[in-house]
Amino acid sequence: TRFGKTKAFLNFNSSQSFLQKLVNEYIAAGITEILLIINDRIAHETKEQIAKIGVTKEVTILINTHPDQGKLSSVLLGIKAIQSGNSIFLQNPDNPFTTKSLLEQMMNANRKGKYIVPVYHGKNGHPVLLSFEMASLLFNEKDMNANMQLLLPKSSRIAVETDDKQILANINTIEEYGKYFQHE
């Protein structure tokens, strides 16, 4: 609502939206199961976007019927849908700069009972990779607006240093979009 449009459908470049670019990066990194947690208002367009890049077998779309309950409600819906034992990347659509290389670095750092965060000059970025054990810690959380950084124990954090400042991007306004994407 702050942006006025669905951020996942914004143009990343002339041939792909944020959503399409992110899905392609995850597939290039070898991720074989991608869950998109969306609200029902964008279900049709999401399916169209995925069909255009031809990866419908790798992508499952889940509808959060209560997005008004908070961001964590979508995270929990995704966690409940994964197979036991799998690690989980959490990716916001408003940070489309995730790369295959970063995903591979994070997967290489993944350890049981840990979570992985990309870090640029001491600042946490996106996405986050949760081991299944870390994801399971979230099951009992009642506050759907809780800050995930506060829910996960600092002692379980593994930082993956990167020189890519764009992991810190969080595109919430037209002005922020213009800062990164001059073509719009």
Side-chain angles (χ1 to χ4, degrees):
T1 56
R2 284 182 286 181
F3 196 85
K5 294 181 178 183
T6 303
K7 292 185 273 186
F9 304 148
L10 292 172
N11 290 334
F12 183 79
N13 56 35
S14 61
S15 63
Q16 8 178 36
S17 66
F18 284 14
L19 173 66
Q20 291 168 326
K21 192 268 187 193
L22 287 167
V23 168
N24 283 328
E25 293 293 337
Y26 277 88
I27 288 172
I31 307 298
T32 57
E33 183 181 6
I34 298 172
L35 301 175
L36 301 178
I37 315 300
I38 62 171
N39 64 51
D40 58 353
R41 290 182 301 106
I42 64 169
H44 180 73
E45 190 169 356
T46 300
K47 289 175 187 173
E48 286 181 344
Q49 292 246 337
I50 296 305
K52 284 180 185 174
I53 57 175
V55 294
T56 53
K57 290 180 182 168
E58 294 89 347
V59 177
T60 300
I61 296 172
L62 298 176
I63 307 292
N64 182 352
T65 56
H66 301 288
D68 56 315
Q69 291 182 352
K71 197 183 283 188
L72 194 55
S73 69
S74 290
V75 171
L76 292 177
L77 184 62
I79 290 170
K80 289 175 185 173
I82 65 154
Q83 295 178 8
S84 181
N86 286 343
S87 295
I88 304 162
F89 276 102
L90 300 178
Q91 174 74 56
N92 294 334
D94 54 7
N95 182 302
F97 300 108
T98 297
T99 63
K100 172 186 180 251
S101 174
L102 177 63
L103 296 171
E104 290 171 340
Q105 286 177 302
M106 293 175 72
M107 287 187 293
N108 288 336
N110 193 18
R111 302 289 179 271
K112 184 177 181 175
K114 301 290 184 178
Y115 66 100
I116 317 305
V117 179
V119 175
Y120 175 81
H121 291 262
K123 294 182 180 179
N124 294 343
H126 304 283
V128 174
L129 175 59
L130 301 176
S131 67
F132 185 76
E133 297 78 17
M134 285 293 104
S136 297
L137 287 178
L138 302 176
F139 276 132
N140 297 322
E141 183 56 41
K142 302 290 185 238
D143 179 5
M144 293 298 118
N145 290 306
N147 183 330
M148 279 207 5
Q149 287 183 4
L150 301 176
L151 298 176
L152 299 172
K154 289 244 189 245
S155 61
S156 298
R157 178 179 170 270
I158 296 174
V160 171
E161 296 289 335
T162 180
D163 59 356
D164 185 358
K165 183 179 184 175
Q166 291 184 319
I167 65 155
L168 304 177
N170 199 5
I171 299 170
N172 286 317
T173 65
I174 298 283
E175 293 76 25
E176 288 168 338
Y177 182 60
K179 176 180 160 185
Y180 292 100
F181 299 93
Q182 299 301 322
H183 62 271
E184 288 296 317

